[in-house]
Amino acid sequence: MKAVCWHGANDVRVETVPDPKILNPRDAIIKITSTAICGSDLHIYDGYIPTMQKGDILGHEFMGEVVELGSEVKNVKIGDRVVVPFTISCGNCFFCQRDLWSLCDNSNPNAWMVELQMGHSPAGLFGYSHLFGGYAGGQAEYARVPFADVGLFKIPDHLTDEQVLFLTDIFPTGYMAAENCNIKPGDVVAIWGCGPVGQFAIKSAFLLGAERVIAIDRIPERLQMAKEQGKAEILNYEEVDVGEALKEMTGGRGPDACIDAVGMEAHGTDAMAIYDKVKQAVRLETDRPTALRQVILSAGKGGHVSIAGVYGGFLDKIPMGSAMNKGLTFKMGQTHVHRYLKPLLNHIENGDLDPSFVITHKLPLNQAPHGYQIFKEKKDNCIKVVLKP
Ligand code: NAD
Ligand code: ZN
């Protein structure tokens, strides 16, 4: 089959690789109909994730049709149209039973690697390096899905791929980011990053009752989408002092909640410099958590800080004094996609929102390298790329 394979920083290639096979009685094989490129893939593309190997198949936002089943899978059948959460979860462990799916104890065979570094292991993730289990990703014609009984969600036929694809990641991610803000009536929520995750955080903050949302970025078309589609007020961080502007817009109080939907944002040569560093250190140390610093410094007293953006390794210069003295509450993590999938599917079916609004590019799978490039460089007004195998 054809698949998008990683070969190094800024180097992805579409190659012919062996088809996936059932390895475990709880596996399923999916024929992929749509698969997207995520901001998290850019961390790999930038070279920030040190445990990638040349030839690893990328991609964790995918859906398709079930074509083969292991002998123990009961909840789905061949021919079902399904979406696949990006986190791999067994459904039975301590964490899955507590609805903390992205912390599953049984889905990451390489947990020891993570434990060497951080003490605890997260769940396995599709297409996200050997630190997260080394699973082949879904930017491909086929993928193997472990724990298929809990890892596949059936989708009604009347909804298009474009309407449901983002249930695999960025819609639940934006939603959990907003839910982590503990929004109360009258609240003002500020959101850093108007990429796809930021766009869904904006929509979700309003769904959860925010009175105002202020969205921050520097890319004009992303700010425009936040304003038109999201009904957010917008700030360009290259044009204004964001902290001052937020104070002014909130009568001096500061936002009640701040969401970081940026993460390890890299620009040009910076990414390469950090890549050289991680190759030696296996740990990422960066002094550039610009957005996160601003998030903490801008949050109002008693406010919530919700971090959806992905960070790895160690970060410098986090203003903990400000966080302490304002009594901020922090929440973060990989999204518990399984928790949100059905309620958010209901929102789509009710017509509360149509997630396809973020798609700016639909490309055949073999144009993935171009897709990565324009998504990273924000060229051609690119906001979200969907690949069609
Ligand atoms: P993206 O790269 O398209 O969007 C990031 C946006 O942040 C860009 O529009 C960029 O211009 C903007 N930005 C950069 N620096 C900024 C700053 N200082 N202030 C304000 N905006 C700034 O990526 P995306 O797909 O929207 O993903 C966003 C983040 O969410 C990534 O870090 C991704 O890894 C993460 N993510 C997390 C989860 C999770 O489970 N927690 C899931 C999916 C994605
Ligand atoms: Zn993603």
Side-chain angles (χ1 to χ4, degrees), residues 319-358:
M320 285 310 285
S322 169
M324 180 77 201
N325 293 320
K326 288 192 289 185
L328 301 182
T329 301
F330 282 73
K331 285 198 163 191
M332 66 191 83
Q334 301 282 0
T335 302
H336 306 298
V337 178
H338 300 64
R339 185 200 289 174
Y340 298 101
L341 221 145
K342 280 193 182 134
L344 295 184
L345 176 61
N346 286 342
H347 274 304
I348 298 170
E349 287 206 272
N350 294 342
D352 299 332
L353 96 177
D354 178 349
S356 63
F357 77 95
V358 288

Side-chain angles (χ1 to χ4, degrees), residues 36-41 59-61 86 128 168-170 173 197 310 334 384:
I37 307 177
C38 177
S40 298
D41 293 323
H60 59 265
E61 301 182 356
F86 79 97
Y128 219 74
T168 59
D169 179 347
I170 54 172
T173 294
V197 169
V310 161
Q334 301 282 0
K384 187 76 178 176

Side-chain angles (χ1 to χ4, degrees), residues 66-99:
V66 178
V67 290
E68 208 183 327
L69 286 175
S71 56
E72 287 175 20
V73 183
K74 303 278 183 293
N75 293 347
V76 283
K77 44 183 203 318
I78 295 197
D80 280 352
R81 185 163 167 254
V82 290
V83 294
V84 186
F86 79 97
T87 48
I88 302 172
S89 311
C90 75
N92 293 325
C93 71
F94 178 92
F95 296 99
C96 288
Q97 291 286 312
R98 276 156 191 76
D99 224 10

